[in-house]
Amino acid sequence: MTYVPKGSAAEGPYALAIDPKRAGWSYSQLRVVELEPGGTHSFTTGESEWIVLPLTGGCTVQTADGIIELLGRDSVFSGVSDFAYVPRDARIQIASGAGGRFALAGAKCERRLPARYGSAPEVPVENRGSGGCAREVRGFAAADAFDCDRLIAVEVITPGGNWSSYPPHKHDEHRPGIEAELEEIYYFEIEAHGDREGFGYQRVSPSREGGTDVLAEVRTGDAVLVPDGWHGPSVAQPGHAMYYLNVMAGPGQEREWRICFHPDHTEGYR
């Protein structure tokens, strides 16, 4: 299962539930929970660390050490959100007075780090690429921005008609100082205009014989799994911005994002 259409990986309270067993790998996982006004959701973190990231709305996150209040946002297209990091081996409750949709980005890990609040103004925002490959990268849990044990997570906004995740790149081999082995999940939302829902495309091409090969039309709530291969471009429909949440983790001793660009593509659009 590489392309995950909306609803095909729903489970219990989750609109999307991708764990290592379902993905066929070892570390990266993602859940999306939707809460009605006044709703709550409790879960046990188990062997994984998690970040609670508001997609729409705000919430409180209760841990054994206290309550973290998240202001959240109106939508993923309205700006950066604050977030909460919660450790492995913990019991967590999320509550939302007004309701909302919340991503739980996780990774199996070894160290138990403290629960922490991530402030929206402290999230690094980078305008990457140029022209038709310009996009905005929000590195809220990038390897050099926020301390986790294994989890790496960022958001990307691609303007309508633009390409991102370009040039195609990969991180499926451990090559010290050059490339890190990371399992990756792309979760998509596409900007809608009234009744007109948008779409986009995601390409993953093989980096080895028999490797991952998919070209998927993606819409809000879809996901694409990248166990290996060259991923990109991510293409947004003209007039409809594309959002995706990248969740990554891998077996390396160092938590680092090191990638290799496809040699057959121009590298001037990074």
Side-chain angles (χ1 to χ4, degrees), residues 33 35 39-43 45 50-54 57-72 81-87 90-97 102-104 115-118:
V33 61
L35 296 181
T40 64
H41 172 64
S42 298
F43 70 102
T45 59
W50 297 88
I51 283 178
V52 181
L53 176 71
C59 66
T60 59
V61 180
Q62 184 171 357
T63 74
D65 298 321
I67 294 177
I68 300 172
E69 183 173 353
L70 301 181
L71 297 177
S81 178
D82 51 1
F83 60 94
Y85 174 92
V86 295
R91 180 73 175 172
I92 307 299
Q93 184 185 72
I94 303 170
S96 179
F102 306 93
L104 309 179
R116 280 162 290 142
Y117 173 71

Side-chain angles (χ1 to χ4, degrees), residues 177-266:
I178 300 173
E179 185 177 350
E181 183 181 352
L182 295 168
E183 309 157 351
E184 184 164 15
I185 302 168
Y186 278 68
Y187 166 76
F188 295 91
E189 296 200 3
I190 311 296
E191 185 180 34
H193 299 294
D195 295 334
R196 293 187 295 115
E197 297 183 355
F199 63 90
Y201 291 95
Q202 177 66 40
R203 177 71 170 122
V204 185
S205 55
S207 60
R208 62 187 72 159
E209 187 174 352
T212 300
D213 190 352
V214 62
L215 173 60
E217 182 175 296
V218 293
R219 298 175 184 273
T220 293
D222 293 353
V224 171
L225 310 185
V226 187
D228 59 79
W230 304 103
H231 37 294
S234 305
V235 182
Q237 178 188 3
H240 295 262
M242 167 191 282
Y243 164 93
Y244 51 86
L245 169 62
N246 292 138
V247 180
M248 294 167 275
Q253 292 185 351
E254 299 294 327
R255 175 177 170 254
E256 57 184 355
W257 185 69
R258 291 189 179 276
I259 64 174
C260 176
F261 286 100
H262 197 298
D264 294 339
H265 292 258
T266 302

